[in-house]
Amino acid sequence: MAERGGERGGFGRGFGRGDRGDRGGRGDRGRGDRGRGRRGPKREEEEKWVPVTKLGRLVKDGKIKSLEQIYLFSLPIKEHQIVEFFLGPALKDEVMKIMPVQKQTRAGQRTRFKAFVVVGDSNGHVGLGVKCSKEVATAIRGAIILAKLSVIPVRRGYWGNKIGKPHTVPCKVTGKCGSVTVRLVPAPRGSGIVAARVPKKVLQFAGIDDVFTSSRGSTKTLGNFVKATFECLLKTYGFLTPDLWKETRFSKSPFQEFTDLLAKPHKISVLEEVDSTPVY
C-alpha cells in the first residue's frame, strides 16, 4: 500500500504513475520533455559561466580539485555550476512529483505548481530540490537548480566482511519528516534495494546497491517521504565509527590558502541584449 500510495498525486487525477494514472504519467513526462528540449541554449550559458562567489572563482581556476574538498571545510555552495563542474554528465535528474498548491485570495484561488526533483550521480552524491512556481516548466527548472545546490555526500559501507567496494549503508539510520519515518538497514550483497518506489529512486541516485528499508506514517505524502529518505542519507556521515578515529590533520581552508588569488580584482562582464530594430 505504501508503494502505491507513494506515487499518489498529479493534478487530482488519481495516481501519477499507478494503475489509473496513465494520463497523469504521460502529462508529467510531456512537460519534462518540453523542459529538456530547451537545453541547447542552456549549455552555451554553462560554457560562459562567470563565477560570482569566491568558491566559484577557485573552482573555475582549478584550485579546488573535488567536491569532497568543499565538504571537508563545510563551504556553502551558492552556484549550481560548481556541482555541474565536478559531476558533469554523470549527474542525472528525475522529477518525482508535480503537485498543484492553492492560496485563497480576495479574487479567488491562486494556483501554483510545486515540483520535487532528485539529482544524483549514482556514486555517492545525491540532492533534493523543491520549487513552487506559476508554470510547471519554471518549477521543474528551479527545482533542478535547488537540487544541485543541495547535493550531499553519501557514506557507504559493508554488511559483513570488507570485500570489494562498499555497497550498502554503513549502519542503521533513521530520517523523519512530518509523520513519515524512514529507516535504512544494511543488507548483504545481492539483496538489492528493498524499498517502495519513491525511496528506491533516491537510493539508486545515491549509489547504494543493497539496503533494507522500513517506513511508517503517511507515506502517500510523497514530499515528506522523499525528504525523510534524503535525511537518512544525510545522517550517514553523522556517525563517528572507529575507522574514522584517525588523528585529524588540520589544513588551511581554500579561502585562506588562495587568499592572494582572491585578492586580485576581477571584472564581471555583463552582456546586454540590444534590440536591432530602430525606434522612431
Side-chain angles (χ1 to χ4, degrees):
M1 187 66 193
E3 189 172 328
R4 194 172 166 219
E7 292 288 334
R8 188 180 177 83
F11 298 91
R13 295 256 182 150
F15 293 84
R17 294 194 193 108
D19 302 326
R20 291 177 296 158
D22 291 335
R23 283 178 294 174
R26 275 205 297 271
D28 287 357
R29 264 183 240 138
R31 284 194 172 84
D33 291 340
R34 228 182 295 162
R36 286 193 188 109
R38 295 176 187 164
R39 285 193 184 174
K42 208 182 224 185
R43 283 181 185 165
E44 291 176 16
E45 286 175 23
E46 287 168 7
E47 288 171 16
K48 295 174 187 174
W49 173 44
V50 179
V52 293
T53 59
K54 286 183 182 178
L55 185 61
R57 287 169 62 195
L58 291 177
V59 167
K60 195 166 185 185
D61 290 345
K63 302 297 181 186
I64 292 176
K65 304 297 180 188
S66 67
L67 268 178
E68 278 60 40
Q69 203 174 339
I70 296 172
Y71 295 138
L72 181 65
F73 294 99
S74 301
L75 303 176
I77 299 174
K78 300 286 179 74
E79 295 175 90
H80 67 94
Q81 290 94 340
I82 293 172
V83 177
E84 289 170 3
F85 183 87
F86 289 118
L87 302 182
L91 200 66
K92 293 177 183 174
D93 56 76
E94 172 134 341
V95 180
M96 300 300 288
K97 186 181 184 182
I98 300 163
M99 59 183 285
V101 290
Q102 290 182 329
K103 178 185 177 181
Q104 188 70 39
T105 60
R106 281 185 297 177
Q109 285 137 346
R110 189 190 69 185
T111 305
R112 294 198 299 171
F113 299 103
K114 193 176 184 183
F116 294 87
V117 172
V118 174
V119 300
D121 65 345
S122 302
N123 191 23
H125 298 97
V126 70
L128 172 68
V130 183
K131 179 69 177 174
C132 203
S133 181
K134 288 179 185 176
E135 293 181 13
V136 175
T138 315
I140 292 172
R141 210 177 302 122
I144 289 171
I145 290 171
L146 289 174
K148 287 175 182 174
L149 289 173
S150 71
V151 164
I152 57 163
V154 178
R155 188 178 172 203
R156 291 167 290 176
Y158 298 91
W159 172 77
N161 291 336
K162 295 180 180 178
I163 302 170
K165 292 183 179 179
H167 60 98
T168 185
V169 285
C171 54
K172 293 175 186 175
V173 280
T174 308
K176 192 172 189 296
C177 182
S179 72
V180 183
T181 305
V182 175
R183 187 173 189 234
L184 302 183
V185 181
R189 205 181 289 274
S191 301
I193 300 172
V194 184
R197 285 185 198 171
V198 176
K200 190 170 190 175
K201 183 59 71 176
V202 179
L203 294 166
Q204 282 172 345
F205 276 175
I208 290 172
D209 300 324
D210 312 288
V211 70
F212 295 134
T213 64
S214 164
S215 61
R216 60 169 296 153
S218 182
T219 52
K220 69 179 180 183
T221 314
L222 188 141
N224 289 353
F225 205 8
V226 173
K227 286 178 184 175
T229 311
F230 186 69
E231 193 191 338
C232 277
L233 299 172
L234 182 65
K235 284 183 177 178
T236 53
Y237 265 110
F239 287 96
L240 186 65
T241 49
D243 56 337
L244 297 176
W245 285 357
K246 296 169 189 172
E247 186 182 349
T248 307
R249 292 186 177 180
F250 295 101
S251 56
K252 286 182 180 180
S253 144
F255 293 161
Q256 196 177 355
E257 191 179 346
F258 303 108
T259 184
D260 296 333
L261 179 74
L262 294 171
K264 291 178 184 176
H266 69 292
K267 293 180 181 178
I268 298 176
S269 56
V270 179
L271 297 174
E272 293 182 3
E273 290 184 7
V274 181
D275 195 359
S276 56
T277 55
V279 179
Y280 299 105

